Amino acid sequence: MESIPLKELVADKGQAEVARIFGVTAPAINKALSSNRDVRCTPLPDGTYLGEEVRPFPFKPSKSAA
């Protein structure tokens, strides 16, 4: 199955539902979206989703994030 960006999943299901799917709060989903994190969501056969973040290795946070 093909993964979709978190932004698209939220557009389809809404922040509250996506938060429930991943077991986090709606503000956590909002923060991931507003900080442009590259989170990919893959639908699984049982109806759940696998969320994976894509980022460079090694990851070095910007100085402004510290």
Side-chain angles (χ1 to χ4, degrees):
M1 297 190 168
E2 205 167 309
S3 66
I4 60 171
L6 178 63
K7 185 177 184 176
E8 287 184 26
L9 186 61
V10 169
D12 182 47
K13 298 190 177 292
Q15 278 190 19
E17 178 62 14
V18 173
R20 187 197 64 74
I21 288 169
F22 288 114
V24 299
T25 63
I29 297 297
N30 186 51
K31 185 175 181 181
L33 292 171
S34 64
S35 61
N36 292 318
R37 291 172 62 179
D38 188 6
V39 178
R40 298 298 190 161
C41 307
T42 306
L44 301 176
D46 64 359
T48 61
Y49 284 82
L50 171 66
E52 298 178 293
E53 183 171 8
V54 180
R55 63 183 187 176
F57 177 81
F59 179 72
K60 296 179 183 177
S62 65
K63 292 181 182 182
S64 63

